[in-house]
Amino acid sequence: MKFKRLFALLLSSIVMLGIFCVPALATTNGNTIVYSAVNDYKIPDEYLYGRQQLAGMQNSTHLLNLYDALYNGIENMEEKIQIDVPLPSNEVMTDKDKLNAYLNDFFNSVWYPAWEAYTNDHPEQFWWAYVQKDNNQVSPFISATFSIDTIDTEEIKLIIRPSYDAELYSKKAEFENEVKKLLYGLTSNTDEYTREKVIHDRLLAKTTYLQAEHSSCAYGAIIDGNAVCEGYARAFQYLLMRAGIFSHTVTGLAIDYEASEGDNIVYTSHAWNLVKIHGDYYYVDATWDDKEGFTSYAYFNVDDYQIIGYDHFPHDKYDIPECVSTQYNYYVYDRGIIIDEFNTSQIANALSANGGTVHIITFDDNLFMEFFDLYEKDMKESKEIVRSLGITGGYAYGGLQTYGEIIAYLYRKNTMTVCGTVVSTDNSKNTVVKLTKNGEVKYSQQLTDAINDYNFNNIALDNYTLEVSKDGHTTYTEQIIGDYTISQVKNITLYLYGDVNSDGSFNLSDLVRLKKCIANSAVMNNEAFNITSSCEYSGKLVEMRKMLLSQ
C-alpha cells in the first residue's frame, strides 16, 4: 500500500528553526586580494567548521547527507530538495505513534545539529533567512513548504519545496558588489588583525541595530544597513571569510541586561562570531560593540573568561573550540588598556597617546564603578590626570559606560580631535589629509601606506572641511562640526579613478561596464564615478579610452 503523511507538529518545529538567520578564500595576485565573481565563489572546506564537527559525530553519515542536501539545494536554487530519513524497522513504519516518536528523535539527533552547522557555516546564502513578523516566521527572499513522505514502507523522505524571489539573481550581484566595497584596499600584506579590525569598524559604521525586512541575514547589514544580532554575525563572518580569515557564527543565549533586574536574569536568543587570528581562536560580538554614535571594543577578540559563562551561552549541538589566548584582544594589543588598580599615570599616558580618548576595561566590578565615578564627580584623581597631561585652564572630561567597558575622554574645552583610517588600493603614492576652513588649510597630514591612520589631536575647536586626496583617486570631502566631547572618528575609503566595478584596478572591464551603463543595461553606483547625465558618461568614456590606449 502506497501512502503519504504530513506531520504538522513536527513540521512546525522545522519552520521555527528559521529564527536563526540562514544564510571566498581570496586568492592573491602580488599583494592584492583578488575576489572571485559571485557565481564562482565557494567557501573553502577548511572554513566549514560546523561540517567538520558533524563528520566526527556518531551518526555522521546522516548528518553530512542532510547538511549537503540543504547546501546544494539552496545554492542551486532548486525547487525541490529531497532528504533521505533513515529507515526504521517495519514495526515502527506501520505504527503511527511509534513512527511519530521515531521522527521526533530524527529531528533532535540529525536535523537540528545539521541545520545549525549548515546555517552557521554559510552566511553567503542570505536568501534562506527568516524574520519574525507578527506571530509568523517569514522570509523576504524565499518561501518553502515541508512534508514527510513515507512510500510503500520502504523509504522516508523529507521534502522541501522552496519558491524564490524573482529578483534574487540581481540581489546576489548587488550584495557581492557591496562586499567588495567593504573590503576595498585590504591586501594579503595586511596582517590579519588589521584586516579584522578594519572590517569590524566599517561594518559597524554602516549598520544600525534594527528589526527590519532583511535584518536577520548578511544582506540586511551589508545592503540595507539594518540588522539584528544574526545579521551582524553573518555579515561579519562572510566579510572575514572573503578577506582570508576564518570565522564561524555561534548561536545561543545571552543575558538581556535591559530586561534583567536584580536576581531576575533574563536571557534572549543571540548570535556572535568565532574568529581565528594568527592561529588562535577568539570571540567577537559585533552587535554588542555597535553603540549609538561610537564603536566599542568590549567584545573584540575576547577569550572564554571574558564571554562564555559570563553573559554568552552557546548551544551545544556540536563542539566550539576553547578561546584561551589574549594576545590579539583589543585592550592587550591595540589602543585600549586593562586596569587592575587605579593608576592615574597609566590612564593619562593612554589618553595622551590616543588623542584624548581611550577604551578602558577592568574585570573588577568595584574598580569599574570607582573609575566611572571619576567622570561623574570632580575627584582628586581627575585633576591629577589633567595635570599629568599638562592641560591648563578649562577642560572637559567624561566617560561612556558600556558592557564591561568605559570609553574615557579628556579635552581642553577649546580643542577637539578628528581621527580615523584611510584605505586605498594604490600605495605607491602618498595620501594627503587636510582640515580646511573657508578654503584655507588649517591642518594637514601625509600618509604613506594603502591603509593608514590619521590623527588631528587637540586642534582648535571649530567647524572644518575634511579633505582626503591622492593622485589617481577621487577626492573625499566631509563637513566636520566642532565637538570636543569625544573623538570624531571618520574612516574613509578612496576609490581609484575610473574603477567603476570596485575591483581595485583600472582596466578594460571598467570600460565595458561604462558602455553597458550608458546603454542602460547595467547599473553603476560607485563613488569613483559620480556622474548623472549621458553626456557626462560619454565624455568620461572618451577620456577612459584615451587613458587605456596610452598604457
Side-chain angles (χ1 to χ4, degrees):
M1 180 178 66
K2 189 171 184 176
F3 60 96
K4 297 183 179 181
R5 296 192 182 104
L6 172 67
F7 298 93
L9 178 61
L10 294 173
L11 298 182
S12 67
S13 68
I14 298 175
V15 177
M16 285 303 293
L17 282 171
I19 191 170
F20 300 120
C21 169
V22 184
L25 182 67
T27 59
T28 58
N29 178 12
N31 73 331
T32 302
I33 293 178
V34 181
Y35 303 100
S36 56
V38 64
N39 292 330
D40 297 331
Y41 178 72
K42 188 174 187 297
I43 293 175
D45 290 343
E46 60 265 30
Y47 284 7
L48 301 179
Y49 184 82
R51 194 180 191 283
Q52 294 169 15
Q53 294 304 299
L54 297 183
M57 295 173 70
Q58 185 174 5
N59 51 349
S60 60
T61 300
H62 300 310
L63 290 165
L64 293 175
N65 286 343
L66 198 158
Y67 177 109
D68 292 339
L70 285 170
Y71 169 75
N72 292 322
I74 299 303
E75 181 65 23
N76 298 319
M77 296 171 63
E78 295 176 1
E79 295 183 356
K80 180 181 179 181
I81 301 171
Q82 186 167 277
I83 299 167
D84 290 328
V85 177
L87 194 67
S89 65
N90 287 335
E91 179 186 358
V92 172
M93 285 291 290
T94 55
D95 186 306
K96 180 178 179 181
D97 291 336
K98 290 182 179 179
L99 182 58
N100 266 321
Y102 176 82
L103 291 173
N104 260 319
D105 181 66
F106 165 77
F107 287 120
N108 288 327
S109 62
V110 178
W111 172 271
Y112 285 97
W115 171 271
E116 185 165 311
Y118 153 67
T119 56
N120 291 350
D121 275 350
H122 291 286
E124 81 283 9
Q125 292 186 350
F126 62 81
W127 54 98
W128 184 261
Y130 283 82
V131 295
Q132 188 75 30
K133 189 172 184 180
D134 297 326
N135 293 320
N136 300 311
Q137 297 284 331
V138 298
S139 170
F141 301 109
I142 185 173
S143 59
T145 60
F146 296 79
S147 64
I148 296 287
D149 291 353
T150 58
I151 303 172
D152 290 338
T153 68
E154 296 177 357
E155 58 183 22
I156 305 176
K157 302 286 187 183
L158 169 61
I159 309 296
I160 306 174
R161 293 182 173 85
S163 177
Y164 302 90
D165 187 321
E167 298 180 355
L168 186 52
Y169 282 108
S170 64
K171 289 178 178 176
K172 289 168 69 175
E174 178 189 22
F175 177 77
E176 179 68 14
N177 190 55
E178 195 62 29
V179 164
K180 291 178 180 179
K181 290 183 182 181
L182 286 168
L183 299 176
Y184 197 86
L186 298 179
T187 73
S188 57
N189 278 358
T190 310
D191 73 272
E192 289 184 0
Y193 177 89
T194 301
R195 272 182 263 169
E196 178 197 22
K197 186 171 180 295
V198 167
I199 290 170
H200 173 271
D201 293 355
R202 288 181 183 176
L203 178 65
L204 268 57
K206 180 184 181 67
T207 310
T208 300
Y209 187 90
L210 182 69
Q211 180 77 58
E213 186 179 22
H214 308 133
S215 60
S216 292
C217 64
Y219 184 95
I222 290 174
I223 297 298
D224 299 337
N226 298 320
V228 293
C229 58
E230 295 96 336
Y232 277 92
R234 301 190 194 286
F236 189 53
Q237 176 189 6
Y238 187 57
L239 291 168
L240 288 176
M241 286 176 163
R242 293 301 301 269
I245 296 173
F246 167 85
S247 182
H248 183 68
T249 293
V250 181
T251 52
L253 298 176
I255 293 176
D256 186 338
Y257 284 103
E258 293 183 358
S260 300
E261 185 174 352
D263 294 333
N264 181 28
I265 306 299
V266 178
Y267 300 91
T268 185
S269 296
H270 195 50
W272 60 99
N273 293 96
L274 176 74
V275 301
K276 193 174 187 180
I277 302 297
H278 296 301
D280 290 318
Y281 289 107
Y282 301 89
Y283 288 112
V284 178
D285 190 334
T287 308
W288 283 18
D289 274 351
D290 194 10
K291 308 302 177 187
E292 186 175 352
F294 65 96
T295 296
S296 168
Y297 298 98
Y299 289 90
F300 188 79
N301 288 355
V302 297
D303 61 9
D304 287 337
Y305 172 72
Q306 295 167 275
I307 187 169
I308 302 301
Y310 183 67
D311 50 21
H312 287 59
F313 308 92
H315 292 307
D316 57 357
K317 298 295 188 298
Y318 48 84
D319 291 335
I320 299 295
E322 290 185 344
C323 299
V324 296
S325 175
T326 60
Q327 182 177 358
Y328 289 100
N329 173 269
Y330 174 83
Y331 303 93
V332 174
Y333 182 76
D334 214 322
R335 300 179 182 179
I337 60 172
I338 301 172
I339 58 171
D340 297 318
E341 61 181 3
F342 199 89
N343 185 318
T344 56
S345 176
Q346 182 186 24
I347 295 168
N349 290 338
L351 285 167
S352 178
N354 295 295
T357 302
V358 63
H359 293 249
I360 302 172
I361 198 163
T362 179
F363 303 110
D364 183 329
D365 291 341
N366 293 328
L367 184 60
F368 182 91
M369 295 311 299
E370 177 187 346
F371 181 79
F372 191 69
D373 284 343
L374 165 67
Y375 297 98
E376 297 295 306
K377 304 172 184 177
D378 190 9
M379 294 172 62
K380 176 183 176 182
E381 287 88 346
S382 68
K383 296 178 180 179
E384 290 180 2
I385 290 176
V386 171
R387 282 197 296 269
S388 65
L389 289 173
I391 296 178
T392 59
Y395 62 89
Y397 55 83
L400 300 170
Q401 184 179 13
T402 77
Y403 301 106
E405 177 193 43
I406 288 176
I407 302 178
Y409 55 85
L410 181 63
Y411 293 97
R412 296 183 182 91
K413 280 195 174 181
N414 60 343
T415 67
M416 61 185 287
T417 293
V418 181
C419 59
T421 300
V422 178
V423 177
S424 60
T425 302
D426 179 15
N427 62 356
S428 63
K429 299 180 179 66
N430 292 335
T431 302
V432 179
V433 184
K434 301 176 184 177
L435 288 178
T436 65
K437 182 175 176 61
N438 298 326
E440 180 183 353
V441 177
K442 295 294 185 180
Y443 304 94
S444 179
Q445 289 183 15
Q446 186 167 291
L447 312 180
T448 57
D449 296 327
I451 299 177
N452 211 334
D453 295 333
Y454 69 94
N455 191 341
F456 296 107
N457 182 27
N458 288 329
I459 62 176
L461 183 64
D462 210 335
N463 297 335
Y464 299 96
T465 298
L466 174 64
E467 181 180 308
V468 186
S469 60
K470 185 173 188 174
D471 289 347
H473 294 69
T474 55
T475 299
Y476 176 92
T477 60
E478 181 177 352
Q479 298 303 306
I480 304 295
I481 307 300
D483 181 3
Y484 64 78
T485 56
I486 194 167
S487 297
Q488 298 191 58
V489 179
K490 305 293 181 181
N491 295 323
I492 297 158
T493 299
L494 291 181
Y495 289 90
L496 189 67
Y497 179 75
D499 181 18
V500 298
N501 61 2
S502 299
D503 65 358
S505 63
F506 172 48
N507 49 40
L508 286 172
S509 65
D510 297 300
L511 184 62
V512 172
R513 183 67 177 268
L514 263 179
K515 287 181 177 179
K516 290 182 178 180
C517 191
I518 294 170
N520 294 322
S521 62
V523 176
M524 183 177 65
N525 180 21
N526 189 296
E527 292 84 345
F529 264 75
N530 186 18
I531 310 168
T532 56
S533 71
S534 296
C535 292
E536 288 175 310
Y537 276 129
S538 299
K540 289 294 182 184
L541 191 60
V542 172
E543 188 175 346
M544 285 185 67
R545 185 191 301 275
K546 289 179 180 178
M547 292 174 67
L548 288 166
L549 291 176
S550 67
Q551 295 185 15

